[in-house]
């Protein structure tokens, strides 16, 4: 049985600066002692997306005070912490440098071990913190930077079953919103508009539906939205609502096919798992239409549908701290202080590089 552990987590991979203190009891039970997140939404909204340099500067300005606040809320001092966990990738390199260098400095000054955490591993393991899931299970990660279906076999043991060959789903939502002059972030704006729209007015493509491989593609769908909007311009409010509803419907039907095939594959590989589970994580997991589609799909296939609370689906330091605790509990050695941040860091290092990822290979 692993000992009681307490860890400080740091997250700076994109446009949220976050710090948290999380504990893991000897029996594995988690306790979140503090969770502090500072959003940079206002800094980036005028640009319709995240500006890397602005994000990095904001992390520099806020991180020290957020760490102090996380320790204060947890009612602990640095001497009470067993280790430091900091996001080391994937993400915007400027932000990663800020968080990881801060983690290194604290580890060096305090003599505490450092765990350089893969941001995606944080997402992958969050359901074990919130819902006590046992391995193995499936995770659908849908965010502004990633759309992946991943088999989670254990801590540090992941198999990528599908990924996007072009745009991430969150990126498609954001670009659709920008095209329609809706506010940033695009996902919530598109969802709000879709509530007043007719999802049958436009028949948008459902990319890769029917394909045996479990990859995703949203570039063609985004292009179809642009073409439809151009053909009927200028747009009134109902036009915008109908486009959003039709776009969201196409996304939901695409996910139903892609994830449905994944559930079938999981059942074939693990027939003895008594309660198979699908976990959804990432900012797009907040979309109610998508959640409803996935819930119905899981009900039909005998899967448990697990969606952690929204504040733990988006970027946060709790999941980074928890991933560090899971690694500590399983005996993974801490990282050397010369560890470097990685803008691209696949969870499954053996996964093939797909078209659209460029010479440097897959982001994640």
């Amino acid at each position: 049985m692993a000992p009681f552990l307490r860890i400080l987590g740091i997250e700076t991979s994109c446009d949220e600066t976050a710090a948290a203190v999380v504990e893991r009891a000897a029996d594995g039970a988690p306790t979140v002692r503090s969770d502090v997140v500072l959003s940079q939404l206002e800094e980036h909204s005028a640009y319709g997306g995240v500006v890397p340099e602005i994000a990095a500067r904001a992390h520099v300005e806020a991180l020290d005070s957020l760490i102090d606040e996380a320790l204060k809320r947890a009612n602990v001092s640095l001497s009470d912490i067993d280790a430091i966990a900091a996001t080391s990738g994937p993400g915007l390199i400027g932000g990663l440098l800020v968080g990881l260098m801060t983690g290194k400095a604290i580890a060096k000054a305090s003599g505490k071990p450092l765990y350089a955490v893969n941001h995606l591993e944080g997402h992958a393991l969050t359901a074990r913190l919130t819902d006590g899931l046992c391995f193995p299970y499936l995770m659908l990660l849908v965010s502004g930077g990633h759309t992946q279906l991943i088999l989670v076999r254990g801590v540090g043991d992941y198999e990528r079953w599908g990924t996007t060959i072009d745009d991430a789903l969150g990126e498609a939502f954001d670009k659709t919103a920008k095209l329609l002059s809706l506010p940033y972030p695009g996902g919530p704006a598109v969802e709000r508009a879709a509530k007043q729209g007719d999802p049958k007015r436009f028949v948008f493509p459902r990319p890769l539906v029917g394909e045996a491989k479990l990859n995703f593609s949203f570039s063609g769908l985004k292009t179809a939205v642009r073409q439809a909007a151009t053909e009927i311009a200028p747009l009134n409010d109902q036009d915008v609502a109908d486009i959003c509803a039709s776009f969201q419907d196409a996304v939901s039907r695409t996910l139903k096919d892609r994830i449905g095939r994944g559930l079938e594959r999981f059942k074939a590989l693990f027939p003895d798992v008594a309660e198979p589970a699908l976990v959804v994580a990432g900012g797009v997991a907040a979309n109610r239409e998508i959640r409803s589609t996935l819930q119905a799909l899981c009900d039909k296939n005998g899967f448990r549908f697990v969606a952690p609370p929204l504040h733990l689906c988006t970027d946060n330091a709790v999941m980074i701290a928890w991933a560090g605790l899971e690694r500590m509990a399983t005996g993974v050695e801490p990282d050397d202080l010369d560890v470097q941040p990685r803008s691209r860091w696949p969870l499954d290092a053996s996964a093939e590089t797909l078209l659209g990822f460029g010479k440097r290979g897959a982001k994640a």
Side-chain angles (χ1 to χ4, degrees):
M1 182 177 292
F4 171 86
L5 297 168
R6 181 186 291 128
I7 198 166
L8 169 67
I10 298 170
E11 156 62 25
T12 58
S13 66
C14 192
D15 60 340
E16 273 89 25
T17 313
V21 175
V22 181
E23 297 171 348
R24 188 182 191 278
D27 63 358
T31 301
V32 178
R33 295 289 298 271
S34 64
D35 176 16
V36 185
V37 181
L38 179 63
S39 174
Q40 300 176 11
L41 181 60
E42 290 186 7
E43 286 88 339
H44 301 285
S45 59
Y47 303 95
V50 178
V51 181
E53 172 127 358
I54 292 176
R57 289 180 179 179
H59 291 313
V60 170
E61 293 171 358
L63 184 55
D64 288 354
S65 61
L66 258 66
I67 291 172
D68 286 341
E69 181 65 20
L71 293 171
K72 181 180 178 180
R73 291 188 188 182
N75 196 29
V76 298
S77 65
L78 194 56
S79 61
D80 300 315
I81 299 294
D82 295 305
I84 315 299
T87 302
S88 186
L92 301 176
I93 195 65
L96 293 170
L97 278 166
V98 174
L100 185 57
M101 290 299 290
T102 301
K104 287 182 181 183
I106 295 173
K108 178 68 174 179
S110 64
K112 308 291 184 180
L114 172 73
Y115 286 86
V117 174
N118 186 314
H119 178 89
L120 306 188
E121 183 168 46
H123 282 303
L125 299 176
T126 296
R128 286 174 51 77
L129 181 153
T130 59
D131 292 79
L133 282 191
C134 296
F135 300 120
Y137 53 86
L138 276 179
M139 177 186 70
L140 172 64
L141 177 60
V142 277
S143 67
H146 306 96
T147 302
Q148 297 187 6
L149 183 62
I150 296 172
L151 171 64
V152 182
R153 292 182 181 271
V155 177
D157 188 0
Y158 309 99
E159 184 178 330
R160 195 190 75 196
W161 282 7
T163 188
T164 179
I165 63 174
D166 41 57
D167 293 343
L169 182 52
E171 182 182 357
F173 268 97
D174 285 341
K175 289 183 176 178
T176 294
K178 190 171 185 178
L179 171 71
L180 300 175
S181 299
L182 295 174
Y184 176 83
V190 169
E191 184 178 13
R192 285 193 299 271
K195 292 178 181 178
Q196 311 302 321
D198 176 8
K200 306 302 181 187
R201 179 177 171 186
F202 300 94
V203 181
F204 290 136
R206 296 156 193 175
L208 301 185
V209 165
E211 291 284 335
K213 288 188 176 181
L214 301 178
N215 293 321
F216 306 86
S217 171
F218 297 104
S219 180
L221 173 58
K222 183 186 63 180
T223 299
V225 169
R226 180 185 296 108
Q227 291 173 340
T230 301
E231 288 174 1
I232 63 172
L235 306 177
N236 59 38
D237 289 346
Q238 191 58 55
D239 293 331
V240 170
D242 291 346
I243 290 174
C244 288
S246 300
F247 167 80
Q248 195 167 256
D249 181 68
V251 167
S252 294
R253 292 176 181 271
T254 299
L255 290 178
K256 182 179 180 180
D257 175 83
R258 306 282 74 209
I259 305 308
R261 291 172 182 270
L263 300 186
E264 293 175 359
R265 179 175 172 182
F266 186 94
K267 286 194 295 184
L269 284 174
F270 303 101
D272 296 328
V273 173
E275 188 181 29
L278 172 70
V279 175
V280 62
V284 183
N287 185 285
R288 290 181 177 84
E289 174 74 17
I290 291 174
R291 283 196 181 214
S292 177
T293 296
L294 295 176
Q295 179 71 69
L297 189 62
C298 286
D299 291 344
K300 179 181 178 181
N301 287 274
F303 274 68
R304 178 182 176 186
F305 177 62
V306 178
L310 179 57
H311 72 283
L312 295 181
C313 282
T314 53
D315 294 350
N316 65 90
V318 170
M319 70 178 189
I320 303 305
W322 180 250
L325 286 170
E326 289 266 58
R327 291 171 67 185
M328 291 181 74
T330 52
V332 176
E333 291 295 320
D335 291 281
D336 294 332
L337 292 184
D338 61 355
V339 62
Q340 297 299 310
R342 302 168 62 177
S343 61
R344 299 170 184 246
W345 189 3
L347 266 185
D348 179 359
S350 65
E352 64 177 335
T353 299
L354 300 181
L355 292 176
F357 285 128
K359 294 180 179 178
R360 295 173 59 196
K363 290 182 180 178

